[in-house]
Amino acid sequence: MDLIPIVETLGENTVEALMGLFVGMVFGIAAQRSSFCLRAATVEFARGQLGPRMAIWLLTFSTAVVWVQGAQMLGLFRAEDARLMAVAGSWSGAIIGGLMFGAGMVLARGCSGRLLVLAATGNLRSVIAGLVFALVAQMALHGWLAPFRTWLASLWTTSGGRNVHLMDLLGLSQNLGLKLGVASALLALFLAFRHKLTWSSLIFASGVGFAVALGWIATWTLAQIAFDPVNVTSATFTGPSANTLMFFLEPAPQLRFDIGLVPGVVLGAFLAALFAGELKWQGYDGANAMRRSLFGAALMGFGGMLAGGCAIGSLTGASVFAATAWLALLSMWVGAGITDLLVDQRGQRSLPVAV
């Protein structure tokens, strides 16, 4: 598709924001209809299950990897041009931030992307937790928490001023990325058929992964023709949530991909829930649930910014095989599993048995 006439008519920033809006809508619709949630998948895994939530997550992951790796082979995208790969990665940030984010999403009962989707359907718990998440993320990006985040991130970084491709780090061929994606897809389909997931769930779960690839391809394509620099990026919600919050507070905000992405997710999830008849007002069950949720949201805000991305952002980074993104994703799984074991599973065992 020739974007030059569109860019000349609307301007680079507007086109970039519209791309973000479209990618966000695809993600929002697909995530709402598939109930995609990393937190749910990690809890299943921590409890010794490979259930339907795990199948949904694996299908999303594998779809993102296959589409992104396929786009590279077709010349539609170059991973080395991604902003994530062009800057130094932080091993310490991936570990510490990933553990914090994983713990936070269990406490908040949803990752940042899931909170956005639920907020659009009338879940007031997610609205409030999402605002806390965005506020803490902004504080970690440019506010009071920024020096502490920078110090933690600088403890252990990649050499050479750039991130590292996972296959290069392991001494393997980069072509193995596509094969890994296909293998993950086969495992996901096996689990899906085993648990009798509907075809619509599978299609929409794949749509979440497709949204990740769509963002990479769209921003890379725009970057090839734009006069001003364009960040080659895709779906992630830590930085974009903070930037969207500031967009409405700054006197002269600038349209970018991030600014379209978050409203796009909300709009897409709202429309999906509306047509499915799933809009419903929901609130907190009590003060304890609220404290737990807000503390978890704060952990996700700081942890996601430190790790270089949220649950979706780490999946997005993993699709281009950024080594620190894979480490952050692994750390999120570990942090979530430990938190579920110590907080939820132990709490259930301590409850009195009904007679």
Side-chain angles (χ1 to χ4, degrees):
M1 180 180 179
D2 187 6
L3 290 177
I4 294 178
I6 301 175
V7 170
E8 290 177 346
T9 302
L10 300 178
E12 294 175 4
N13 290 346
T14 301
V15 171
E16 186 178 351
L18 288 174
M19 286 179 170
L21 181 70
F22 182 71
V23 170
M25 288 186 66
V26 172
F27 179 94
I29 292 170
Q32 198 281 329
R33 298 310 304 143
S34 65
S35 298
F36 170 81
C37 180
L38 175 61
R39 195 272 313 176
T42 57
V43 168
E44 272 191 352
F45 186 78
R47 300 184 183 190
Q49 304 171 15
L50 292 177
R53 299 303 184 193
M54 186 68 176
I56 292 292
W57 187 87
L58 267 176
L59 190 55
T60 294
F61 168 81
S62 60
T63 304
V65 172
V66 169
W67 274 98
V68 171
Q69 296 303 307
Q72 289 194 92
M73 290 183 174
L74 294 173
L76 301 176
F77 167 68
R78 287 199 305 265
E80 56 267 28
D81 294 337
R83 183 180 183 276
L84 177 65
M85 300 300 295
V87 298
S90 170
W91 302 112
S92 56
I95 296 171
I96 301 170
L99 290 172
M100 292 178 67
F101 190 96
M105 70 180 180
V106 170
L107 295 175
R109 301 196 182 279
C111 68
S112 51
R114 184 62 179 164
L115 292 181
L116 270 178
V117 171
L118 290 176
T121 67
N123 191 314
L124 299 179
R125 302 190 305 268
S126 296
V127 172
I128 297 172
L131 288 173
V132 171
F133 167 79
L135 178 62
V136 175
Q138 177 60 33
M139 292 173 65
L141 181 62
H142 295 302
W144 292 353
L145 296 175
F148 183 50
R149 174 189 61 80
T150 302
W151 177 74
L152 289 175
S154 65
L155 293 177
W156 185 20
T157 61
T158 58
S159 59
R162 291 181 61 88
N163 212 324
V164 183
H165 194 286
L166 181 63
M167 295 303 178
D168 291 340
L169 182 67
L170 299 176
L172 301 173
S173 170
Q174 293 190 10
N175 293 330
L176 288 176
L178 181 60
K179 296 178 181 178
L180 177 62
V182 172
S184 301
L186 293 175
L187 176 59
L189 290 174
F190 169 76
L191 294 175
F193 291 131
R194 179 183 177 185
H195 295 285
K196 300 179 180 179
L197 294 181
T198 63
W199 280 105
S200 62
S201 295
L202 301 183
I203 292 171
F204 283 116
S206 300
V208 179
F210 175 73
V212 170
L214 185 63
W216 284 126
I217 296 169
T219 54
W220 182 83
T221 302
L222 180 60
Q224 305 312 300
I225 63 172
F227 179 78
D228 294 321
V230 172
N231 286 332
V232 178
T233 186
S234 187
T236 183
F237 298 114
T238 309
S241 294
N243 293 335
T244 303
L245 177 65
M246 294 307 298
F247 180 82
F248 295 101
L249 300 177
E250 294 178 348
Q254 189 177 30
L255 289 171
R256 305 293 296 192
F257 181 86
D258 289 1
I259 305 305
L261 180 67
V262 173
V265 173
V266 174
L267 178 59
F270 172 78
L271 291 175
L274 175 65
F275 285 105
E278 296 179 358
L279 292 177
K280 181 181 178 181
W281 293 113
Q282 298 180 65
Y284 286 106
D285 295 328
N288 288 335
M290 185 174 185
R291 282 193 292 268
R292 167 182 167 142
S293 175
L294 298 187
F295 180 63
L299 282 177
M300 284 196 295
F302 184 83
M305 195 60 69
L306 176 60
C310 61
I312 305 301
S314 295
L315 187 153
T316 296
S319 71
V320 295
F321 285 84
T324 55
W326 280 79
L327 181 59
L329 193 57
L330 174 62
S331 298
M332 289 176 190
W333 280 79
V334 173
I338 293 174
T339 305
D340 177 68
L341 176 65
L342 296 179
V343 178
D344 289 339
Q345 294 187 52
R346 180 171 294 181
Q348 290 175 2
R349 289 195 296 266
S350 65
L351 291 175
V353 178
V355 296

